[in-house]
C-alpha cells in the first residue's frame, strides 16, 4: 500500500484519534500480472477470504497487545 | 511452412510467394489458437503480411522493431519463437496479450497504451547514434493512434531530426471503433480518391468558390504537389513518404521495405490494411477487435455464453443515456472507446451531445473543461489506466478552475487478462492528490447511477471508479435512483472493536467476510466508504469512539 484511501485515513486518524489504529489493506506495491480478475483479487487478499484472514490476524495481534 | 520458421532469420531470402505461404499459415494459426484463448485478434489478422515482411526484410532482433499498443503483436509472437506458447496468451503465467521486453529479445519496447511507438523508436535511434552503433529502427503505428497528441510530438521531433528511422503507418481506418477526426479523413482521401479525380474536383470547386485568380493558382499548385506525393503532409513534416501500398500484397510490401531499409533519414511507409482480414465469420473491423475465449471462428460467437448480470459498463451506458434525456445540459465524451465505455449508446440516443475525440485522453479532459466553462455538464468516461494520460489536464484545466467535470473511471482496480499495462490501480492515489476533487466508488450498479446523478449536479470536479466486472445487483432505471449526499458513508453492519472500512467493490467482500467472522464469534463493523474524498468525518468520529482498529480495504493502492 502506498498512498491510497487507507494512507489518507491513517494520517487523519493519527492526528485526531491517536488511540485508534488504522490498518490499510489493498493492492501491494508490486506489479499485478495477467490472470483472471478473481485470481488477482485473491492473490492480493482482496476477496472475502483474504479480508477475513486479515481481520483475524489483526484481532490476534490486538488481543496479544492487550 | 510455418513449422520451418523457428526465428525471423528463416524468413530471409524466401520469395514473396513463400512468404505469403508463411503468412497464410500464421493467419490460420491465429484464428485457431484465439478461438480457444480469446484475445485481440482483429488487429493481428490485419498485419499478418506486414509482420512477415518486416521480419523478412529487417534484421530483427538486431534491427529494432517497435510496435504500438502491442495488441497487434500476435503474428509477431508466432514468428519470434513463441508459437508453441500461444495457447497460454493472456493467461496466468502465460504470454502477455501485449508486448513486453522481458518476454522476448524481439520485443524492442513494451506496449499496451496507444501512440508510444514513434517516441520510443526515436529514443532508440538517438541512443544508437550517440553510442556509435549501427542498426535500423522501425516504429509501427496505427491510424487510430494518430489521433493521439503523443504521436505528433514524436513526428514533430523525428521529422526535424535527420535520424535514420522508419515509421510504418498501419492504416485500416479503424481505431477500436471507426477512426475519427481530420487526420483520419486525410488518410482516407489519400487512400481512396483516385488522385486524378480529386484534382479535377478541386478545380471545379475552386472555379466556383475562389473567384480570385491568385488563389486559384496557389491552390492548383498545392493540388499538383499532392498529386505527386500523396502523403504531402508527412513530407512537410520532414519524413519521406512512401505509399500508399496494399498491406495484403506481399510482393509490394517486400519491394517497398527492401527499397526503404537502406535509405537514411526519417521516412514513413503508408500501408493500407484491413482489420480482421481473413476472419472466417467475415471481415469486420470493430466486431473482431477482441473476442472471448472459446468462440467459434465461423460466427465469432462464444460457445458457452456467460450468464452474469450486465457489466458495470453497460449499466453506466444505459444510465447515462437516460440521465441525458432528463438533463439536456449533460454531454458525454469518450476517447476512442464508445463500446468499451458504454458511451456508444449515447452516440445513437443523443448524437449532438456525444463526442468521440480519438485516443486523446488529455485533450478529452481539457475539451470537457472548456465545455464546462459554458455551463454544460460533461461526463468524461475513460478507463482508469488511460486517464493517467490526462493527469495534467485534470489538475490544471479542471480542478484548479473548479470546473464541474465528471470522470467516470471504468476498469478501476485489477482488470484481469490484459495484465499490468491496463491495471486501474493508480487512480485512488492520483485523484486523492487533486485539489477540489470529489472521489467516490459505488458498492454496486445502483449506487454507481446514484453517484452519476450526484456528480452532474455537483459544483466542481467529481470522479467515481468502477470495475471491469458484472454489477452485483440488477439495476433499475436511473429516474428512480436518488442522488447521495456528497461525503457520506453508510454503516452496513454494526459490530465491535474492529471496523472494516470498505471501498467500492470491496464492500460486498467485506460483508461476506463479516458473516463468516461472525460465525467464529468475531463481530465486526462494516462501512461502505462510498466517498473517499471528502470522507465522512461524522461517521469516522463515531467509529473511532467505538473501535480500536479500523481496517480500510480498497481495490487499489
Ligand atoms: C492511451 C490509450 N487509450 C486507449 C487505448 C485502447 N485502445 C486499444 S487499441 C485502440 C485502437 C488503436 O487503433 P490503431 O492505432 O489504429 O491500431 P489498430 O487496432 O487499428 O491496429 C484503442 C483505442 C489504449 N490502448 N491506449
Amino acid at each position: 500500500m502506498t498512498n491510497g484511501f487507507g494512507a489518507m485515513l491513517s494520517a487523519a486518524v493519527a492526528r485526531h484519534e491517536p488511540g485508534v489504529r488504522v490498518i490499510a489493506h489493498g493492492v501491494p506495491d508490486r506489479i499485478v500480472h495477467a490472470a483472471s480478475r478473481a485470481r488477482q483479487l485473491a492473490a492480493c487478499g482482496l476477496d472475502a477470504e483474504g479480508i477475513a484472514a486479515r481481520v483475524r490476524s489483526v484481532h490476534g495481534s490486538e488481543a496479544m497487545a492487550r | 511452412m510455418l513449422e520451418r520458421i523457428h526465428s525471423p532469420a528463416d524468413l530471409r531470402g524466401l520469395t514473396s510467394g513463400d512468404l505469403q505461404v508463411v503468412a497464410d499459415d500464421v493467419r490460420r494459426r491465429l484464428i485457431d489458437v484465439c478461438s480457444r484463448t480469446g484475445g485481440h485478434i482483429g488487429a493481428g489478422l490485419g498485419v499478418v503480411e506486414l509482420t512477415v515482411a518486416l521480419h523478412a526484410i529487417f534484421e530483427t532482433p538486431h534491427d529494432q522493431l517497435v510496435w504500438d499498443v502491442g495488441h497487434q503483436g500476435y503474428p509477431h509472437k508466432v514468428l519470434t519463437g513463441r508459437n508453441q506458447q500461444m495457447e497460454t496468451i493472456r493467461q496466468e503465467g502465460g504470454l502477455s496479450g501485449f508486448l513486453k521486453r522481458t518476454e522476448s529479445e524481439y520485443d524492442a519496447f513494451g506496449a499496451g497504451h496507444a501512440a508510444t511507438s514513434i517516441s520510443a523508436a526515436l529514443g532508440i535511434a538517438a541512443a544508437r547514434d550517440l553510442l556509435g552503433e549501427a542498426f535500423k529502427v522501425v516504429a509501427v503505428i496505427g491510424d487510430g493512434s494518430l489521433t493521439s497528441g503523443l504521436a505528433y510530438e514524436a513526428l514533430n521531433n523525428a521529422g526535424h531530426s535527420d535520424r535514420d528511422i522508419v515509421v510504418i503507418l498501419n492504416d485500416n481506418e479503424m481505431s477500436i471503433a471507426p477512426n475519427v477526426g481530420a487526420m483520419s479523413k486525410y488518410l482516407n482521401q489519400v487512400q481512396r480518391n483516385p488522385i486524378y479525380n480529386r484534382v479535377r474536383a478541386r478545380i471545379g470547386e475552386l472555379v466556383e468558390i475562389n473567384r480570385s485568380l491568385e488563389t486559384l493558382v496557389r491552390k492548383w499548385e498545392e493540388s499538383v504537389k499532392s498529386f505527386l506525393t500523396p502523403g504531402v503532409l508527412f513530407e512537410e513534416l520532414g519524413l519521406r513518404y512512401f505509399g500508399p501500398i496494399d498491406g495484403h500484397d506481399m510482393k509490394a510490401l517486400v519491394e517497398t521495405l527492401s527499397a526503404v531499409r537502406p535509405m537514411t533519414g526519417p521516412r514513413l511507409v503508408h500501408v493500407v490494411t484491413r482489420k480482421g482480414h481473413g476472419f472466417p465469420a467475415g471481415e469486420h473491423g470493430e466486431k473482431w477487435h477482441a473476442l472471448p475465449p472459446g468462440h467459434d471462428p465461423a460466427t465469432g460467437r462464444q460457445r458457452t455464453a456467460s450468464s452474469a448480470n450486465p457489466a458495470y459498463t453497460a449499466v453506466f451506458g444505459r444510465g447515462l443515456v437516460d440521465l441525458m434525456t432528463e438533463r439536456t445540459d449533460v454531454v458525454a465524451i469518450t476517447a476512442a472507446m464508445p463500446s468499451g465505455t458504454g458511451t456508444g449508446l449515447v452516440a445513437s440516443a443523443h448524437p449532438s451531445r456525444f463526442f468521440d475525440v480519438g485516443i486523446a485522453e488529455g485533450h478529452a479532459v481539457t475539451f470537457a473543461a472548456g465545455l464546462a466553462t459554458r455551463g454544460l455538464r460533461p461526463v468524461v468516461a475513460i478507463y482508469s489506466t488511460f486517464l493517467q494520460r490526462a493527469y495534467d489536464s485534470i489538475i490544471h484545466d479542471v480542478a484548479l478552475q473548479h470546473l464541474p467535470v465528471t470522470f467516470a473511471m471504468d476498469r478501476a482496480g485489477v482488470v484481469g487478462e490484459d495484465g499490468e499495462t491496463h491495471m486501474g490501480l493508480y487512480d485512488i492515489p492520483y485523484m486523492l492528490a487533486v485539489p477540489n476533487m470529489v472521489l467516490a466508488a459505488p458498492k454496486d450498479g445502483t449506487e454507481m447511477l446514484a453517484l452519476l446523478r450526484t456528480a452532474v449536479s455537483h459544483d466542481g470536479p467529481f470522479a467515481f471508479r468502477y470495475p471491469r466486472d458484472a454489477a452485483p445487483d440488477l439495476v433499475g432505471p436511473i429516474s428512480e435512483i436518488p442522488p447521495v449526499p456528497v461525503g457520506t458513508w453508510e454503516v452496513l453492519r454494526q459490530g465491535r472493536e474492529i471496523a472494516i472500512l470498505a471501498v467500492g467493490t470491496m464492500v460486498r467482500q467485506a460483508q461476506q467476510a463479516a458473516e463468516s467472522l461472525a460465525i467464529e464469534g468475531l463481530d465486526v463493523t462494516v462501512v461502505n466508504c462510498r466517498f473517499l474524498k471528502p470522507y465522512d468525518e461524522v461517521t469516522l468520529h463515531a467509529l473511532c469512539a467505538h473501535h480500536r482498529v479500523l481496517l480500510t480495504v480498497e481495490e487499489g493502492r
Side-chain angles (χ1 to χ4, degrees), chain B residues 71 112-114 142-145 172 174-175 275 359 361 386 389:
Chain B
H71 65 319
H113 288 201
D143 59 303
S145 296
N172 55 21
M174 296 292 294
S175 196
K275 206 166 174 172
I359 308 174
E361 291 82 6
F386 301 143
R389 283 273 171 93

Side-chain angles (χ1 to χ4, degrees), chain B residues 40 42-44 46-47 68-72 98 111-116 140-148 150 169-177 179 273 275 285 289 335-338 358-361 382-383 385-387 389 422:
Chain B
H40 292 98
V47 296
D68 205 78
V69 189
H71 65 319
Q72 78 292 62
F98 298 91
H113 288 201
T116 60
V140 183
I141 189 159
D143 59 303
S145 296
L146 277 192
T147 57
S148 165
L150 193 54
L169 171 55
N170 169 32
D171 182 5
N172 55 21
E173 297 177 69
M174 296 292 294
S175 196
I176 290 179
N179 200 10
T273 61
K275 206 166 174 172
H289 175 76
M337 312 213 50
I359 308 174
E361 291 82 6
I382 296 181
Y383 291 2
T385 189
F386 301 143
L387 195 59
R389 283 273 171 93
H422 286 59

Side-chain angles (χ1 to χ4, degrees), chain A residues 1-9 12-13 15 17 19-37 39-41 44 46-48 51-52 54-56 58-59 62 66, chain B residues 92 100 414-417 419-420 423 425 428-429 432 467-469 489 497-498 500-501 503 505-506 509-510 512-513 517 520 522 524 529 532 535 541 544 547-557:
Chain A
M1 294 297 294
T2 52
N3 278 303
F5 179 65
M8 181 189 73
L9 272 200
V13 170
R15 255 193 326 271
E17 317 267 357
V20 177
R21 266 177 77 197
V22 175
I23 297 169
H25 188 60
V27 178
D29 185 14
R30 60 171 167 76
I31 289 175
V32 182
H33 293 282
S36 71
R37 193 175 134 73
R39 293 269 301 169
Q40 289 167 338
L41 287 172
C44 297
L46 292 175
D47 54 0
I51 295 170
R54 189 70 192 257
V55 170
R56 277 184 213 107
V58 168
H59 185 256
E62 279 295 302
R66 245 179 286 172
Chain B
E92 196 169 350
K100 245 166 141 166
V414 298
V415 298
E417 294 75 8
E420 60 264 37
M423 287 288 159
L425 294 179
I428 296 178
L432 283 178
R468 174 183 172 269
D469 216 337
W489 292 349
E497 288 190 52
I498 297 178
I500 306 177
L501 273 57
V503 175
T505 49
M506 291 297 111
Q509 305 300 326
Q512 277 175 35
L517 290 166
E520 300 162 27
L522 220 104
V524 299
C529 298
L532 294 85
Y535 57 82
H541 190 75
C544 286
H547 299 82
R548 292 158 51 87
V549 178
L550 309 181
L551 178 70
T552 63
V553 187
E554 63 200 291
E555 197 184 329
R557 42 173 119 238

Side-chain angles (χ1 to χ4, degrees), chain B residues 409-493:
Chain B
M409 301 190 291
D410 198 337
R411 304 311 195 262
V414 298
V415 298
E417 294 75 8
D418 278 344
E420 60 264 37
T421 51
H422 286 59
M423 287 288 159
L425 294 179
Y426 311 97
D427 61 273
I428 296 178
Y430 75 60
M431 281 304 195
L432 283 178
V434 176
N436 294 323
M437 183 66 68
V438 171
L439 178 60
K443 68 172 188 290
D444 57 24
T446 304
E447 194 166 68
M448 174 178 64
L449 295 190
L451 287 170
L452 173 60
R453 178 178 289 289
T454 311
V456 298
S457 295
H458 179 72
D459 193 19
F462 192 120
F464 58 92
R465 71 190 309 259
Y466 47 98
R468 174 183 172 269
D469 216 337
D473 53 337
L474 284 171
V475 184
I478 195 170
S479 57
E480 290 162 18
I481 302 175
V484 258
V486 172
T488 58
W489 292 349
E490 183 187 24
V491 177
L492 297 172
R493 180 189 182 105

Side-chain angles (χ1 to χ4, degrees), chain B residues 531-542:
Chain B
F531 286 95
L532 294 85
K533 180 183 163 181
Y535 57 82
D536 187 335
E537 289 188 43
V538 176
T539 304
L540 181 64
H541 190 75

